[in-house]
Amino acid sequence: HTPLDVGVSFALGLILMIVMYPMFRDMDENPKRTYVLFSIFILLALAFVLFVEFYRFPADIDLENLASGKKSAYMILFCALAMLLVYHVDRTKLQFPVDAVWWAQLLKLALPLFLGSLLQQLYNTVDLIVIGKFAGSAGTVGTAQGGDFANLMTMIGMGFSGAGQVYISQLAGAKEHEKIRKAIGTLLTLMMCGSIVIAVIGCCVTSPFLSLLNCPEEAFGNARQYMFVTSIGMPFIYGYNAICGILRG
C-alpha cells in the first residue's frame, strides 16, 4: 500500500467513526437501528463476494491480486456476520457492563486489534516473500487460495475462544471456581473435538472447495497441498486459541 492509500483509509475511518458514533452510543436504547445497520453491512459484503466470484474479469488480470481480493471479500463478509452474532449474544445473553468513557473503550478494543493485525501482516508478508522466491507466482496464488479455508476456520475458532474468555472472566469475577473448572473443560473439549472434525472435512473437500473459489488451474495443485496441510494443523490452532482464551479470562 502507498502512503496515499493509508491516508485515505485513515481519513475515511475517522469520518465513519464520527458520523456513526451517535448510533453506536444509543445502540442499547435502540437495538433495532443497530440490527438494520449490521444487515446493510452484511448485504454490501455479500454483494462484494458475489462480484469477485462471478464477474468476468479480463483474461490478463493479475491472479495474485484477484486471489487477494477474493480473500478480502470473504473476510469482510464473515467478520460482519460475526459482529452481528456477537452483538446479539451480548445484548440478549451476556449483558457485559462497560463503565469507562467512550474513548478509553475504543482504545482498549483498537490497540490489541491493531497490534495483532500488524503482526499477522508481517507474518503474511514474510511468508509470501519466501514462497514467491522458491515457488513463483503459481505457488503464491496457491497458498493464498489454499489458505482461505484455514483462515475461515481460524476465525470461527477465535470466536469460540473469545466467547469462552468472556464467560470465564465473568465466573472469575463472581469467584465461581467450580464453574470455572467446568467451563475450561467444556471449552477445551469443544475446541479439540470441533477442530478434529474440521480437519477431517478440510482434508476431504480440498478439490471441491478450491473449485468453488475458481482457483486457477496452474495453481490448483499447490493450493490443494497447502489446504491439506493447514487442515491437518487445525487442532493445534484451535488448541492455541482455546488456551489463550482461558489465560486471558
Side-chain angles (χ1 to χ4, degrees):
H1 297 287
T2 65
L4 180 60
D5 294 333
V6 177
V8 171
S9 299
F10 179 80
L12 288 176
L14 185 62
I15 293 172
L16 284 173
M17 185 181 71
I18 294 173
V19 170
M20 302 186 72
Y21 169 70
M23 182 177 295
F24 285 107
R25 180 190 58 196
D26 302 329
M27 65 193 316
D28 290 332
E29 290 75 18
N30 194 352
K32 184 177 180 180
R33 184 190 302 171
T34 307
Y35 281 116
V36 171
L37 176 65
F38 279 126
S39 299
I40 293 173
F41 187 26
I42 291 171
L43 289 175
L44 291 174
L46 180 61
F48 184 28
V49 169
L50 295 175
F51 171 73
V52 297
E53 284 291 352
F54 297 106
Y55 181 76
R56 294 185 177 275
F57 292 97
D60 58 347
I61 190 172
D62 190 322
L63 295 179
E64 183 178 349
N65 285 338
L66 179 59
S68 178
K70 289 183 178 181
K71 176 182 177 181
S72 298
Y74 280 101
M75 288 183 67
I76 292 172
L77 175 61
F78 286 110
C79 283
L81 291 170
M83 289 170 62
L84 176 60
L85 177 62
V86 169
Y87 170 72
H88 178 72
V89 172
D90 179 70
R91 193 180 70 84
T92 58
K93 305 293 182 183
L94 300 180
Q95 297 298 321
F96 188 73
V98 284
D99 301 322
V101 294
W102 66 270
W103 58 266
Q105 295 180 44
L106 285 176
L107 285 177
K108 185 169 64 174
L109 174 65
L111 285 178
L113 291 175
F114 169 75
L115 294 175
S117 299
L118 179 62
L119 291 174
Q120 185 178 9
Q121 282 301 119
L122 289 174
Y123 165 79
N124 290 335
T125 301
V126 174
D127 195 23
L128 289 175
I129 291 173
V130 174
I131 293 171
K133 182 177 181 180
F134 293 101
S137 59
T140 303
V141 175
T143 54
Q145 294 218 316
D148 284 344
F149 180 82
N151 291 333
L152 171 60
M153 294 300 108
T154 301
M155 292 295 177
I156 295 175
M158 291 174 64
F160 277 106
S161 68
Q165 172 189 336
V166 172
Y167 184 57
I168 292 171
S169 298
Q170 290 181 324
L171 295 176
K175 300 189 183 304
E176 298 279 359
H177 300 295
E178 183 61 31
K179 290 184 178 180
I180 289 175
R181 285 192 287 270
K182 291 182 180 179
I184 291 174
T186 301
L187 178 62
L188 288 173
T189 303
L190 175 65
M191 293 288 279
M192 295 312 298
C193 292
S195 64
I196 292 173
V197 173
I198 290 172
V200 173
I201 294 175
C203 292
C204 294
V205 301
T206 51
S207 295
F209 183 81
L210 293 172
S211 298
L212 185 64
L213 295 181
N214 295 323
C215 180
E217 185 177 352
E218 58 271 22
F220 199 92
N222 291 329
R224 183 169 54 193
Q225 293 176 4
Y226 189 77
M227 180 175 170
F228 186 84
V229 172
T230 52
S231 296
I232 294 175
M234 280 294 114
F236 302 98
I237 296 175
Y238 271 55
Y240 165 78
N241 283 295
I243 294 174
C244 286
I246 293 169
L247 294 177
R248 290 168 185 159

